[in-house]
Every structure is written in C-alpha cells, then in structure tokens.
Amino acid sequence: MTAMTTGPGAGPGVPAPAPGAGPVTPAPGTPDTTASRAAELLRTGFGLLGPRHGRHTLTADDLDTLALPIGDDGVVIGVDAEGQPAVLGLNRPTPYDIVLIGSLWTVQVLALRAAATGARVAVETGRPQAWTQMVHAMGGGQNGLAVYDVGRVPPQGASAGTPVLVVRDCGMRPPRGRVVSGRWQSVLTLLPYLSPVAPRLLRQARLVGVQRISPDESAELGRTMGLPRADIDALPTLPDGVTLWCADRDRQYVMTQPTDAEIGLLGTPRRMD
C-alpha cells in the first residue's frame, strides 16, 4: 500500500510542506482544493455517509397506522367490549382505594400482574392457605408478595421507586385496616358478596368492581351506586371473569383473560372460590 505523501491542503503539483513548516498558502490564482479533496475522499469511501437508501417517511394518511392500543400506564386487567386492553393505574402519588365485589381468583390475578410491574404486594387475609401456592410460586415472599394475618400488616414504606398494593381479603365484614391508602400505596378490598359494610367501603372507594351477584344484591347496589337499569339487569348474568368497573360516572365491562402461566397457577376464571 502506497503511503499518502500529499500534505493537508496540497493539491496535485503542490509540494508537501517540510517537517516543522507552517501550512502552505496557495499562490495567487491557485485554487484551494481542501474542500474538493475532502469531498473526493468521502465519495471514494474515506468517511461515513450512512445508509444510502430512501428516507424513512410517511404520508399524513399513514400516521394512524402507528397508533398503539394502550391507555394509562399500569396493570392490564383484561379487555373491554371492543377487545382493547383495559389498563388500571395502581401506582399513584395519591391515595387510591378499590373495592371488588367478586372472586378471589380475580384479585389474585391482579396481585400477580401488579407484582410483575414492580409493585410490592402485601396481602392481609384470614385464609392464608388460599395464598400459599402463589407465595411459593413467587419465591417464598421474597419477590414482591407477602401474606399477613388480619390486622398484622406492618408499615410498607411505599415510595415512587417501590410502590405498594395492599390486598385486603378479610371476608364479608373486613375490619378497619391499620394500613391505609397513601402516596404510592393503593388498597384493594375484596368482598365476596354485598355485605352490611359495603356502603361505607363503596363511599370511600375511588374505583368499584362488581362481578356476578344475585338479583336482590344487584337492585340494592343499583340504589347505592345509582346504576342504570341496564347494568342492574346485567349484573346477575355476568359470565365468570367479567367485571363491571365503576369510577365516578364512568362504567366499563372488562373480561379478564388469564395467561397460560396464570391458568397453571390459579386455574380458569371462576366466580365462586
């Protein structure tokens, strides 16, 4: 390979500067070939031009094809009536209380998915044996899920970096919890059926989920929550895994579809535990 002996700024016929000499100044009338020389080097491969193909462009009509079916960040709790993902934001900088009148199966799916997003899950329950399989599957409580007796949940130290979901699985009449919702700590209370304490809990909740209940319970709940007749009639007929979620004046039916791993651990959707 022949070494290049032409000095910087030197063109054909212009001698290279001697060692230690200053830059060569072209004589009057001699064209400065530095720019043209650099351009020639780039054209012959000395330098990077990037991919040599057409620009990545889209027409205005094609922009809609880039839309993604996602809502707020959070836990995917199922799909709505249009088959789009329904997302529940559990990790919030403000207190957030949720009441679910429904099945243990649904709550356990939500707990698994919350832990998968990085939240720590603290379960307060009077039936720890119902959570044993989940605890073992998640590494014996070392990977985001811990189970406590009723009234024994310690302070969780929730923060933006370590958000917490407290699950209260305490039966028909859950006592007032020692650990309440706060910054980055949401509380999800499970009621198997409508109970005498339900009105108080529903008033405190910012989100209420209702699964299949009896016609009498549906009528009572309709009066408490101001549900329209269509929802009152629909609640006693809901299939397993379907929940009516209500927040303020918004209502949405969501079907929770388990993954293969969730089916292997918890079984298929069911209303009765």
Side-chain angles (χ1 to χ4, degrees):
M1 180 174 181
T2 303
M4 294 178 62
T5 57
T6 303
V14 180
V24 175
T25 302
T30 301
D32 185 355
T33 60
T34 301
S36 61
R37 182 65 174 169
E40 178 64 24
L41 290 173
L42 288 174
R43 282 195 295 271
T44 57
F46 187 82
L48 300 175
L49 286 177
R52 300 187 182 185
H53 48 68
R55 294 177 180 271
H56 297 286
T57 59
L58 285 176
T59 65
D61 294 336
D62 292 332
L63 289 178
D64 288 341
T65 63
L66 296 180
L68 299 176
I70 58 176
D72 188 16
D73 58 336
V75 177
V76 177
I77 60 174
V79 295
D80 61 19
E82 297 178 353
Q84 298 298 315
V87 181
L88 174 58
L90 291 172
N91 305 330
R92 299 169 180 261
T94 55
Y96 198 67
D97 287 282
I98 307 166
V99 173
L100 174 64
I101 303 172
S103 68
L104 176 65
W105 182 91
T106 301
V107 168
Q108 290 184 329
V109 169
L110 296 183
L112 277 175
R113 296 182 181 183
T117 65
R120 288 189 290 110
V121 179
V123 179
E124 180 183 9
T125 181
R127 46 178 175 178
Q129 70 281 356
W131 293 84
T132 301
Q133 189 173 0
M134 274 187 61
V135 173
H136 290 332
M138 297 182 65
Q142 301 301 313
N143 293 317
L145 188 146
V147 175
Y148 304 93
D149 291 332
V150 176
R152 298 298 182 90
V153 181
Q156 296 297 303
S159 66
T162 56
V164 174
L165 172 65
V166 177
V167 175
R168 305 201 70 215
D169 173 30
C170 305
M172 294 285 290
R173 297 173 179 267
R176 295 183 182 274
R178 293 177 54 190
V179 178
V180 298
S181 62
R183 286 180 54 84
W184 305 111
Q185 180 167 291
S186 298
V187 175
L188 169 58
T189 300
L190 171 65
L191 294 178
Y193 300 100
L194 205 61
S195 70
V197 301
R200 173 178 61 83
L201 295 174
L202 296 178
R203 285 193 299 268
Q204 297 172 349
R206 295 184 57 187
L207 179 68
V208 176
V210 187
Q211 295 186 316
R212 187 173 63 246
I213 54 180
S214 70
D216 290 343
E217 289 175 308
S218 183
E220 182 179 348
L221 190 64
R223 290 190 295 270
T224 302
M225 298 180 59
L227 297 177
R229 172 53 58 180
D231 290 331
I232 294 174
D233 293 339
L235 287 176
T237 66
L238 292 182
D240 291 341
V242 175
T243 307
L244 172 62
W245 292 101
C246 307
D248 296 328
R249 296 183 180 179
D250 297 326
R251 296 182 303 278
Q252 187 176 44
Y253 288 93
V254 174
M255 173 177 285
T256 302
Q257 298 176 322
T259 64
D260 291 341
E262 289 168 346
I263 292 176
L265 180 61
L266 303 175
T268 56
R270 58 190 179 276
R271 175 62 176 93
M272 302 295 294
D273 298 314

